[in-house]
Amino acid sequence: MAPLNGLFEHPIVQAPMAGGVSTPALAAAVSDAGGLGFLAAGYKTPGAMYEEIKQLRARTSRPFGVNLFMPQPPAADPAAIEVYAEQLAGESTWYRTPLGETDQGSDDGYEAKLAVLLDDPVPVVSFTFGCPDRTAVDALARAGTVTVVTVTSAAEALAAREAGADALCVQGIEAGGHQGTHHDDPHADGAGAGVGLLALVAEVRETVPLPVVATGGLMRGAQVAAVLAAGASAAQLGTAFLACPESGAHELHKRALTDPLFVRTELTRAFSGRPARGLVNRFLREHGPYAPAAYPQIHYLTSGLRKAAAAAGDPQGMNLWAGQGHRLARELPAGDLVRLLTAELDAARVSLTVR
């Protein structure tokens, strides 16, 4: 537990949000305020990842983390991708942009990115969409890097422990963006899929003796206090930081978080082929029920559509990732948000003590 707790003054971790949201400016502001900032290497080339690390180091001397996507298996049913592409033909016409090529690889440059992080180590590396092997974890340990594996079940937590991970990022079903499951099982889709954060933290804590970073729907310091009371060592927040000025999220995305037009979130495969929680909009409603389990192929297929929708000022065609607590988003500078969350956490602790 000491290696993890020694990385931050306050138990506030900024989630690594891929797609340009987790900028060096955002991560630096969080780390400088006493939290732990994160860069997201997902969807970036190894060179682009390294450039962001250099930019972050120029902004702060505090610890920070980098998140890697694990390589994915080949699409199980290529024919299903073709059918979905046909369904999206109308979107392509509407936004006047072609559908993307789906054969762009499924490893996200993992080995090359890992080599960069071993050659020039960073304080923390976390993993999503799977569990690294023992060789990779041991190599990072020798380099002095703390390793964190995202898990969504006790079974995945056990696998992470076997791999030698230092800590677990326990993700509840409330979380915005992609569910970090190790294996994408389409048979598990449905309203009853996934486990709530507090229940999952308790189950993992009783199963695996590793430090836990809890994530999923957390927006206030009192919620942070709740997951700490449940046994977590820290809380990871994504949607809460998405609205910050340092965030790279599109302005339409930021505004949508508290727009009365968007009243709820759902898990959907519509934009990427993998379950991800976003604000319910037209694209999600129309295409979510038909999207196949094919990540990252569907991500590549819809990439141009999403960019075109953003350029046209149309949030109804964008992937508006958001956790269940999105309406509690506050448009504050990231450092101020860390300080406010810490003050709320301290107040909640005092309240619990008094009672």
Side-chain angles (χ1 to χ4, degrees), residues 135-180:
T135 301
V137 174
D138 287 347
L140 287 165
R142 289 192 296 271
T145 297
V146 173
T147 52
V148 182
V149 175
T150 304
V151 301
T152 61
S153 68
E156 291 177 351
L158 285 168
R161 184 188 67 175
E162 289 301 310
D166 294 309
L168 306 169
C169 180
V170 176
Q171 183 193 46
I173 196 66
E174 305 94 333
H178 285 97
Q179 288 288 296

Side-chain angles (χ1 to χ4, degrees), residues 21 31 46 54 60 63 86 163 170 193 214 246 254 290 317 346 349:
V21 178
S31 290
K54 289 194 295 183
T60 185
E86 293 173 1
V170 176
E246 298 93 340
K254 293 182 179 184
Y290 311 105
D346 291 342
R349 284 169 161 166

Side-chain angles (χ1 to χ4, degrees), residues 27 52 72 89 109 111 121 154 164 177 183 186 197 211 230 244 254 323 336 339 353:
E52 286 204 343
Q72 299 300 292
E111 292 293 345
H183 304 286
L197 181 59
C244 294
K254 293 182 179 184
D336 290 348
R339 287 183 280 273
T353 302

Side-chain angles (χ1 to χ4, degrees), residues 33 46 60 102 105 139 198-199 241-242 255 263-264 283 302 351:
T60 185
T102 60
L198 285 176
F241 286 105
L242 195 151
R255 292 201 295 269
V263 298
R264 62 189 177 89
F283 195 103
T302 67
S351 177

Side-chain angles (χ1 to χ4, degrees), residues 116-131:
V116 170
L117 295 170
L118 289 171
D119 183 62
D120 192 357
V122 299
V124 187
V125 171
S126 66
F127 300 87
T128 301
F129 300 154
C131 185

